[in-house]
Amino acid sequence: MSAATLSLDIESIRREFPVLSQEIQGRPLVYLDNAATTHTPESVLAVIRDYYERYNSNIHRGTHRLSQLATAEHEKARTRIAEHLGAAADREVIFTSGCTDSINLVANVLGQSGSIGEGDTILVSELDHHSNIVPWQMLAERVGASVLPIPVTDAGEIDMAAYTELLDSRTKVVAINHISNALGTINPVLEITRLAKEQGAWVLIDGAQSIPHLEIDVQAIGCDFYAFSGHKVYG
Ligand code: PMP
C-alpha cells in the first residue's frame, strides 16, 4: 500500500495508548521511538491487570487453582506466538527477558555443546546491533573461533557476493538481523539462510526490528533461531 492510499484512524489508535493522553510542553505527546521500545496498549494492560487481580502465581509448579490457571494462560501465549511465527511446534518458543538475552542463550548453548571450536568462524554483518555482535565475540574468545563481519554495500545492503565468499566449511554460525535498526534495510534472510545451510552452519536471525513490521514464517526462512523482544511489539 502506498503512503498516498494508506488511511489510518490515528485518533482511535492514539486512544489505545494511555501514555499518549498526556501533554508535554502544552502539546499532545507524539512518540516516535517505537524502534527502541513500544508503549503498552489498553488491550495488553487489561491482560496484565487481569493476571494480577485473578491468578498471579508460579507456573508449572503449583497444584493449586491459581497456578493451574497461570500455567494454562502461559501455555496459550506460547501457542499463539508459535502460530504467529509459523513455528513447527509450541515447544520451539522459549521465553527470555528479550532479544539480547535470547542471543546470549543461543551463543552459550552452542559454546557449551561443543558446536563451535578453534579455527571456526561466526559471520555477523556490519549492519548488526551490539546485541548480535558481543555475545558472538565472547563465544569466539572462549573457544578460539573468529567473528567475521559481512560487508555492507554503499546502498546499505548486505554484500551477498562478499557473504558467499566468507562462507566455507569453517562457518559454524551466521547471525544477522532481519531488519537493520540503523538503516531499516530488510535483509534477504531466506537466501542468507539457504546459503549458510549449504555449509551446515547454525543460523540465528535477530528479529528485534522485523517482528512488529513483517509477517514472519520461521519455517519458510529455515533458520534455527529467531530472536526478538516483547517490549518492541507492544508486550
Ligand atoms: N537487535 C536489534 C536489531 C535491536 O534494534 C535491538 C534493540 N534496539 C536489540 C537487538 C536488543 O533488544 P533488547 O534490548 O530488547 O534485548
Side-chain angles (χ1 to χ4, degrees), residues 107-138:
N108 287 333
V109 168
L110 292 182
Q112 282 164 20
S113 61
S115 304
I116 178 159
E118 193 151 357
D120 290 336
T121 63
I122 299 166
L123 307 187
V124 300
S125 86
E126 288 177 347
L127 271 182
D128 271 277
H129 189 279
H130 257 167
S131 294
N132 195 30
I133 298 174
V134 179
W136 303 115
Q137 288 174 324
M138 287 162 58

PDB file of all heavy atoms in Angstrom, residues 107-138:
ATOM      1  N   ALA A 107      24.183 -18.374  22.019  1.00  0.00           N
ATOM      2  CA  ALA A 107      25.651 -18.388  21.923  1.00  0.00           C
ATOM      3  C   ALA A 107      26.234 -19.291  23.009  1.00  0.00           C
ATOM      4  O   ALA A 107      27.144 -20.090  22.743  1.00  0.00           O
ATOM      5  CB  ALA A 107      26.200 -16.969  22.037  1.00  0.00           C
ATOM      6  N   ASN A 108      25.703 -19.183  24.224  1.00  0.00           N
ATOM      7  CA  ASN A 108      26.230 -20.006  25.322  1.00  0.00           C
ATOM      8  C   ASN A 108      25.966 -21.488  25.091  1.00  0.00           C
ATOM      9  O   ASN A 108      26.828 -22.335  25.332  1.00  0.00           O
ATOM     10  CB  ASN A 108      25.617 -19.568  26.661  1.00  0.00           C
ATOM     11  CG  ASN A 108      26.199 -18.238  27.112  1.00  0.00           C
ATOM     12  OD1 ASN A 108      27.325 -17.897  26.753  1.00  0.00           O
ATOM     13  ND2 ASN A 108      25.435 -17.477  27.870  1.00  0.00           N
ATOM     14  N   VAL A 109      24.763 -21.796  24.596  1.00  0.00           N
ATOM     15  CA  VAL A 109      24.431 -23.208  24.367  1.00  0.00           C
ATOM     16  C   VAL A 109      25.304 -23.786  23.254  1.00  0.00           C
ATOM     17  O   VAL A 109      25.822 -24.904  23.371  1.00  0.00           O
ATOM     18  CB  VAL A 109      22.926 -23.369  24.046  1.00  0.00           C
ATOM     19  CG1 VAL A 109      22.627 -24.759  23.517  1.00  0.00           C
ATOM     20  CG2 VAL A 109      22.086 -23.088  25.284  1.00  0.00           C
ATOM     21  N   LEU A 110      25.507 -23.019  22.182  1.00  0.00           N
ATOM     22  CA  LEU A 110      26.355 -23.530  21.094  1.00  0.00           C
ATOM     23  C   LEU A 110      27.786 -23.738  21.598  1.00  0.00           C
ATOM     24  O   LEU A 110      28.457 -24.698  21.213  1.00  0.00           O
ATOM     25  CB  LEU A 110      26.327 -22.576  19.892  1.00  0.00           C
ATOM     26  CG  LEU A 110      24.988 -22.493  19.135  1.00  0.00           C
ATOM     27  CD1 LEU A 110      25.104 -21.549  17.942  1.00  0.00           C
ATOM     28  CD2 LEU A 110      24.513 -23.869  18.663  1.00  0.00           C
ATOM     29  N   GLY A 111      28.238 -22.840  22.480  1.00  0.00           N
ATOM     30  CA  GLY A 111      29.584 -22.985  23.058  1.00  0.00           C
ATOM     31  C   GLY A 111      29.673 -24.223  23.932  1.00  0.00           C
ATOM     32  O   GLY A 111      30.583 -25.047  23.784  1.00  0.00           O
ATOM     33  N   GLN A 112      28.702 -24.347  24.844  1.00  0.00           N
ATOM     34  CA  GLN A 112      28.766 -25.452  25.817  1.00  0.00           C
ATOM     35  C   GLN A 112      28.560 -26.812  25.170  1.00  0.00           C
ATOM     36  O   GLN A 112      29.048 -27.824  25.662  1.00  0.00           O
ATOM     37  CB  GLN A 112      27.722 -25.239  26.913  1.00  0.00           C
ATOM     38  CG  GLN A 112      28.160 -24.202  27.937  1.00  0.00           C
ATOM     39  CD  GLN A 112      27.020 -23.693  28.790  1.00  0.00           C
ATOM     40  OE1 GLN A 112      25.984 -24.334  28.895  1.00  0.00           O
ATOM     41  NE2 GLN A 112      27.207 -22.528  29.381  1.00  0.00           N
ATOM     42  N   SER A 113      27.830 -26.847  24.056  1.00  0.00           N
ATOM     43  CA  SER A 113      27.558 -28.146  23.428  1.00  0.00           C
ATOM     44  C   SER A 113      28.685 -28.562  22.480  1.00  0.00           C
ATOM     45  O   SER A 113      28.595 -29.598  21.823  1.00  0.00           O
ATOM     46  CB  SER A 113      26.228 -28.087  22.661  1.00  0.00           C
ATOM     47  OG  SER A 113      26.328 -27.105  21.645  1.00  0.00           O
ATOM     48  N   GLY A 114      29.712 -27.721  22.405  1.00  0.00           N
ATOM     49  CA  GLY A 114      30.848 -28.067  21.547  1.00  0.00           C
ATOM     50  C   GLY A 114      30.543 -27.927  20.065  1.00  0.00           C
ATOM     51  O   GLY A 114      31.203 -28.520  19.219  1.00  0.00           O
ATOM     52  N   SER A 115      29.509 -27.106  19.739  1.00  0.00           N
ATOM     53  CA  SER A 115      29.116 -26.956  18.335  1.00  0.00           C
ATOM     54  C   SER A 115      30.061 -26.044  17.567  1.00  0.00           C
ATOM     55  O   SER A 115      29.955 -25.920  16.346  1.00  0.00           O
ATOM     56  CB  SER A 115      27.705 -26.376  18.249  1.00  0.00           C
ATOM     57  OG  SER A 115      26.812 -27.176  18.970  1.00  0.00           O
ATOM     58  N   ILE A 116      30.953 -25.396  18.289  1.00  0.00           N
ATOM     59  CA  ILE A 116      31.894 -24.481  17.639  1.00  0.00           C
ATOM     60  C   ILE A 116      33.225 -24.565  18.375  1.00  0.00           C
ATOM     61  O   ILE A 116      33.231 -24.706  19.600  1.00  0.00           O
ATOM     62  CB  ILE A 116      31.304 -23.046  17.615  1.00  0.00           C
ATOM     63  CG1 ILE A 116      32.281 -22.072  16.984  1.00  0.00           C
ATOM     64  CG2 ILE A 116      30.887 -22.548  18.993  1.00  0.00           C
ATOM     65  CD1 ILE A 116      31.611 -20.826  16.467  1.00  0.00           C
ATOM     66  N   GLY A 117      34.302 -24.508  17.645  1.00  0.00           N
ATOM     67  CA  GLY A 117      35.598 -24.665  18.309  1.00  0.00           C
ATOM     68  C   GLY A 117      36.688 -23.865  17.631  1.00  0.00           C
ATOM     69  O   GLY A 117      36.422 -22.967  16.818  1.00  0.00           O
ATOM     70  N   GLU A 118      37.897 -24.199  17.969  1.00  0.00           N
ATOM     71  CA  GLU A 118      39.073 -23.462  17.493  1.00  0.00           C
ATOM     72  C   GLU A 118      39.123 -23.432  15.961  1.00  0.00           C
ATOM     73  O   GLU A 118      38.912 -24.469  15.307  1.00  0.00           O
ATOM     74  CB  GLU A 118      40.330 -24.143  18.032  1.00  0.00           C
ATOM     75  CG  GLU A 118      41.539 -23.281  17.856  1.00  0.00           C
ATOM     76  CD  GLU A 118      42.587 -23.542  18.928  1.00  0.00           C
ATOM     77  OE1 GLU A 118      42.343 -24.352  19.840  1.00  0.00           O
ATOM     78  OE2 GLU A 118      43.649 -22.921  18.794  1.00  0.00           O
ATOM     79  N   GLY A 119      39.375 -22.244  15.413  1.00  0.00           N
ATOM     80  CA  GLY A 119      39.511 -22.102  13.964  1.00  0.00           C
ATOM     81  C   GLY A 119      38.196 -21.931  13.224  1.00  0.00           C
ATOM     82  O   GLY A 119      38.184 -21.621  12.031  1.00  0.00           O
ATOM     83  N   ASP A 120      37.062 -22.133  13.931  1.00  0.00           N
ATOM     84  CA  ASP A 120      35.755 -21.950  13.282  1.00  0.00           C
ATOM     85  C   ASP A 120      35.436 -20.464  13.142  1.00  0.00           C
ATOM     86  O   ASP A 120      36.073 -19.612  13.779  1.00  0.00           O
ATOM     87  CB  ASP A 120      34.645 -22.638  14.092  1.00  0.00           C
ATOM     88  CG  ASP A 120      34.741 -24.157  14.015  1.00  0.00           C
ATOM     89  OD1 ASP A 120      35.325 -24.649  13.033  1.00  0.00           O
ATOM     90  OD2 ASP A 120      34.241 -24.833  14.934  1.00  0.00           O
ATOM     91  N   THR A 121      34.442 -20.172  12.303  1.00  0.00           N
ATOM     92  CA  THR A 121      34.072 -18.768  12.125  1.00  0.00           C
ATOM     93  C   THR A 121      32.580 -18.541  12.404  1.00  0.00           C
ATOM     94  O   THR A 121      31.760 -19.442  12.249  1.00  0.00           O
ATOM     95  CB  THR A 121      34.393 -18.256  10.697  1.00  0.00           C
ATOM     96  OG1 THR A 121      33.613 -19.004   9.763  1.00  0.00           O
ATOM     97  CG2 THR A 121      35.860 -18.389  10.363  1.00  0.00           C
ATOM     98  N   ILE A 122      32.324 -17.309  12.805  1.00  0.00           N
ATOM     99  CA  ILE A 122      30.957 -16.840  13.051  1.00  0.00           C
ATOM    100  C   ILE A 122      30.800 -15.604  12.178  1.00  0.00           C
ATOM    101  O   ILE A 122      31.619 -14.689  12.254  1.00  0.00           O
ATOM    102  CB  ILE A 122      30.779 -16.443  14.535  1.00  0.00           C
ATOM    103  CG1 ILE A 122      31.034 -17.642  15.453  1.00  0.00           C
ATOM    104  CG2 ILE A 122      29.398 -15.830  14.786  1.00  0.00           C
ATOM    105  CD1 ILE A 122      31.206 -17.279  16.924  1.00  0.00           C
ATOM    106  N   LEU A 123      29.766 -15.568  11.339  1.00  0.00           N
ATOM    107  CA  LEU A 123      29.565 -14.399  10.483  1.00  0.00           C
ATOM    108  C   LEU A 123      28.444 -13.532  11.039  1.00  0.00           C
ATOM    109  O   LEU A 123      27.344 -14.018  11.286  1.00  0.00           O
ATOM    110  CB  LEU A 123      29.212 -14.833   9.052  1.00  0.00           C
ATOM    111  CG  LEU A 123      30.155 -15.820   8.347  1.00  0.00           C
ATOM    112  CD1 LEU A 123      29.734 -15.981   6.875  1.00  0.00           C
ATOM    113  CD2 LEU A 123      31.606 -15.383   8.430  1.00  0.00           C
ATOM    114  N   VAL A 124      28.750 -12.261  11.230  1.00  0.00           N
ATOM    115  CA  VAL A 124      27.717 -11.272  11.582  1.00  0.00           C
ATOM    116  C   VAL A 124      27.878 -10.135  10.576  1.00  0.00           C
ATOM    117  O   VAL A 124      28.955  -9.968  10.004  1.00  0.00           O
ATOM    118  CB  VAL A 124      27.863 -10.714  13.022  1.00  0.00           C
ATOM    119  CG1 VAL A 124      27.760 -11.823  14.066  1.00  0.00           C
ATOM    120  CG2 VAL A 124      29.148  -9.942  13.201  1.00  0.00           C
ATOM    121  N   SER A 125      26.830  -9.345  10.361  1.00  0.00           N
ATOM    122  CA  SER A 125      27.003  -8.305   9.344  1.00  0.00           C
ATOM    123  C   SER A 125      27.434  -6.985   9.980  1.00  0.00           C
ATOM    124  O   SER A 125      27.292  -6.787  11.183  1.00  0.00           O
ATOM    125  CB  SER A 125      25.705  -8.098   8.566  1.00  0.00           C
ATOM    126  OG  SER A 125      24.890  -7.176   9.242  1.00  0.00           O
ATOM    127  N   GLU A 126      27.940  -6.108   9.134  1.00  0.00           N
ATOM    128  CA  GLU A 126      28.316  -4.767   9.607  1.00  0.00           C
ATOM    129  C   GLU A 126      27.084  -3.975  10.024  1.00  0.00           C
ATOM    130  O   GLU A 126      27.190  -2.916  10.610  1.00  0.00           O
ATOM    131  CB  GLU A 126      29.049  -4.017   8.482  1.00  0.00           C
ATOM    132  CG  GLU A 126      30.444  -4.544   8.234  1.00  0.00           C
ATOM    133  CD  GLU A 126      31.129  -3.830   7.074  1.00  0.00           C
ATOM    134  OE1 GLU A 126      30.441  -3.118   6.315  1.00  0.00           O
ATOM    135  OE2 GLU A 126      32.352  -3.997   6.930  1.00  0.00           O
ATOM    136  N   LEU A 127      25.900  -4.484   9.669  1.00  0.00           N
ATOM    137  CA  LEU A 127      24.650  -3.781   9.998  1.00  0.00           C
ATOM    138  C   LEU A 127      24.065  -4.253  11.319  1.00  0.00           C
ATOM    139  O   LEU A 127      22.962  -3.873  11.672  1.00  0.00           O
ATOM    140  CB  LEU A 127      23.601  -4.071   8.912  1.00  0.00           C
ATOM    141  CG  LEU A 127      23.534  -3.175   7.698  1.00  0.00           C
ATOM    142  CD1 LEU A 127      22.400  -3.617   6.791  1.00  0.00           C
ATOM    143  CD2 LEU A 127      23.323  -1.724   8.114  1.00  0.00           C
ATOM    144  N   ASP A 128      24.779  -5.125  12.019  1.00  0.00           N
ATOM    145  CA  ASP A 128      24.157  -5.704  13.203  1.00  0.00           C
ATOM    146  C   ASP A 128      24.289  -4.844  14.453  1.00  0.00           C
ATOM    147  O   ASP A 128      25.186  -4.023  14.581  1.00  0.00           O
ATOM    148  CB  ASP A 128      24.657  -7.151  13.413  1.00  0.00           C
ATOM    149  CG  ASP A 128      23.766  -8.119  12.660  1.00  0.00           C
ATOM    150  OD1 ASP A 128      22.714  -8.472  13.220  1.00  0.00           O
ATOM    151  OD2 ASP A 128      24.077  -8.440  11.493  1.00  0.00           O
ATOM    152  N   HIS A 129      23.322  -5.072  15.334  1.00  0.00           N
ATOM    153  CA  HIS A 129      23.242  -4.368  16.615  1.00  0.00           C
ATOM    154  C   HIS A 129      24.265  -4.999  17.568  1.00  0.00           C
ATOM    155  O   HIS A 129      24.574  -6.178  17.433  1.00  0.00           O
ATOM    156  CB  HIS A 129      21.810  -4.587  17.143  1.00  0.00           C
ATOM    157  CG  HIS A 129      21.452  -3.784  18.336  1.00  0.00           C
ATOM    158  ND1 HIS A 129      21.811  -4.135  19.618  1.00  0.00           N
ATOM    159  CD2 HIS A 129      20.710  -2.659  18.447  1.00  0.00           C
ATOM    160  CE1 HIS A 129      21.313  -3.250  20.464  1.00  0.00           C
ATOM    161  NE2 HIS A 129      20.638  -2.344  19.784  1.00  0.00           N
ATOM    162  N   HIS A 130      24.738  -4.238  18.533  1.00  0.00           N
ATOM    163  CA  HIS A 130      25.668  -4.764  19.541  1.00  0.00           C
ATOM    164  C   HIS A 130      25.186  -6.071  20.156  1.00  0.00           C
ATOM    165  O   HIS A 130      25.974  -6.960  20.469  1.00  0.00           O
ATOM    166  CB  HIS A 130      25.839  -3.731  20.669  1.00  0.00           C
ATOM    167  CG  HIS A 130      27.130  -2.998  20.566  1.00  0.00           C
ATOM    168  ND1 HIS A 130      27.422  -1.870  21.270  1.00  0.00           N
ATOM    169  CD2 HIS A 130      28.225  -3.262  19.815  1.00  0.00           C
ATOM    170  CE1 HIS A 130      28.627  -1.456  20.978  1.00  0.00           C
ATOM    171  NE2 HIS A 130      29.134  -2.282  20.086  1.00  0.00           N
ATOM    172  N   SER A 131      23.843  -6.157  20.312  1.00  0.00           N
ATOM    173  CA  SER A 131      23.260  -7.361  20.931  1.00  0.00           C
ATOM    174  C   SER A 131      23.533  -8.607  20.112  1.00  0.00           C
ATOM    175  O   SER A 131      23.485  -9.714  20.639  1.00  0.00           O
ATOM    176  CB  SER A 131      21.741  -7.215  21.033  1.00  0.00           C
ATOM    177  OG  SER A 131      21.423  -6.208  21.920  1.00  0.00           O
ATOM    178  N   ASN A 132      23.772  -8.409  18.812  1.00  0.00           N
ATOM    179  CA  ASN A 132      24.033  -9.551  17.944  1.00  0.00           C
ATOM    180  C   ASN A 132      25.496  -9.568  17.491  1.00  0.00           C
ATOM    181  O   ASN A 132      25.825 -10.154  16.468  1.00  0.00           O
ATOM    182  CB  ASN A 132      23.088  -9.525  16.730  1.00  0.00           C
ATOM    183  CG  ASN A 132      23.051 -10.853  15.996  1.00  0.00           C
ATOM    184  OD1 ASN A 132      23.240 -11.912  16.600  1.00  0.00           O
ATOM    185  ND2 ASN A 132      22.841 -10.797  14.691  1.00  0.00           N
ATOM    186  N   ILE A 133      26.347  -8.895  18.235  1.00  0.00           N
ATOM    187  CA  ILE A 133      27.788  -8.934  17.954  1.00  0.00           C
ATOM    188  C   ILE A 133      28.537  -9.412  19.204  1.00  0.00           C
ATOM    189  O   ILE A 133      29.279 -10.396  19.166  1.00  0.00           O
ATOM    190  CB  ILE A 133      28.319  -7.541  17.521  1.00  0.00           C
ATOM    191  CG1 ILE A 133      27.637  -7.080  16.232  1.00  0.00           C
ATOM    192  CG2 ILE A 133      29.840  -7.579  17.334  1.00  0.00           C
ATOM    193  CD1 ILE A 133      27.980  -5.658  15.805  1.00  0.00           C
ATOM    194  N   VAL A 134      28.284  -8.723  20.312  1.00  0.00           N
ATOM    195  CA  VAL A 134      29.067  -9.002  21.529  1.00  0.00           C
ATOM    196  C   VAL A 134      28.934 -10.456  22.025  1.00  0.00           C
ATOM    197  O   VAL A 134      29.953 -11.079  22.354  1.00  0.00           O
ATOM    198  CB  VAL A 134      28.731  -7.969  22.638  1.00  0.00           C
ATOM    199  CG1 VAL A 134      29.515  -8.273  23.914  1.00  0.00           C
ATOM    200  CG2 VAL A 134      29.038  -6.556  22.149  1.00  0.00           C
ATOM    201  N   PRO A 135      27.721 -11.043  22.041  1.00  0.00           N
ATOM    202  CA  PRO A 135      27.642 -12.448  22.505  1.00  0.00           C
ATOM    203  C   PRO A 135      28.509 -13.377  21.658  1.00  0.00           C
ATOM    204  O   PRO A 135      29.111 -14.325  22.170  1.00  0.00           O
ATOM    205  CB  PRO A 135      26.156 -12.804  22.342  1.00  0.00           C
ATOM    206  CG  PRO A 135      25.447 -11.499  22.384  1.00  0.00           C
ATOM    207  CD  PRO A 135      26.381 -10.511  21.728  1.00  0.00           C
ATOM    208  N   TRP A 136      28.626 -13.070  20.356  1.00  0.00           N
ATOM    209  CA  TRP A 136      29.424 -13.914  19.457  1.00  0.00           C
ATOM    210  C   TRP A 136      30.910 -13.673  19.672  1.00  0.00           C
ATOM    211  O   TRP A 136      31.718 -14.594  19.601  1.00  0.00           O
ATOM    212  CB  TRP A 136      29.018 -13.671  17.996  1.00  0.00           C
ATOM    213  CG  TRP A 136      27.554 -13.923  17.788  1.00  0.00           C
ATOM    214  CD1 TRP A 136      26.598 -13.016  17.435  1.00  0.00           C
ATOM    215  CD2 TRP A 136      26.858 -15.171  17.950  1.00  0.00           C
ATOM    216  NE1 TRP A 136      25.356 -13.615  17.379  1.00  0.00           N
ATOM    217  CE2 TRP A 136      25.494 -14.938  17.680  1.00  0.00           C
ATOM    218  CE3 TRP A 136      27.261 -16.451  18.307  1.00  0.00           C
ATOM    219  CZ2 TRP A 136      24.527 -15.938  17.754  1.00  0.00           C
ATOM    220  CZ3 TRP A 136      26.304 -17.463  18.371  1.00  0.00           C
ATOM    221  CH2 TRP A 136      24.964 -17.199  18.099  1.00  0.00           C
ATOM    222  N   GLN A 137      31.270 -12.407  19.962  1.00  0.00           N
ATOM    223  CA  GLN A 137      32.684 -12.115  20.254  1.00  0.00           C
ATOM    224  C   GLN A 137      33.116 -12.829  21.530  1.00  0.00           C
ATOM    225  O   GLN A 137      34.208 -13.387  21.613  1.00  0.00           O
ATOM    226  CB  GLN A 137      32.887 -10.593  20.410  1.00  0.00           C
ATOM    227  CG  GLN A 137      32.789  -9.844  19.087  1.00  0.00           C
ATOM    228  CD  GLN A 137      32.843  -8.338  19.279  1.00  0.00           C
ATOM    229  OE1 GLN A 137      32.307  -7.809  20.262  1.00  0.00           O
ATOM    230  NE2 GLN A 137      33.471  -7.654  18.347  1.00  0.00           N
ATOM    231  N   MET A 138      32.212 -12.833  22.519  1.00  0.00           N
ATOM    232  CA  MET A 138      32.541 -13.501  23.787  1.00  0.00           C
ATOM    233  C   MET A 138      32.683 -15.008  23.578  1.00  0.00           C
ATOM    234  O   MET A 138      33.592 -15.643  24.117  1.00  0.00           O
ATOM    235  CB  MET A 138      31.468 -13.184  24.842  1.00  0.00           C
ATOM    236  CG  MET A 138      31.570 -11.756  25.346  1.00  0.00           C
ATOM    237  SD  MET A 138      30.089 -11.147  26.187  1.00  0.00           S
ATOM    238  CE  MET A 138      29.887 -12.316  27.487  1.00  0.00           C
TER     239      MET A 138
END
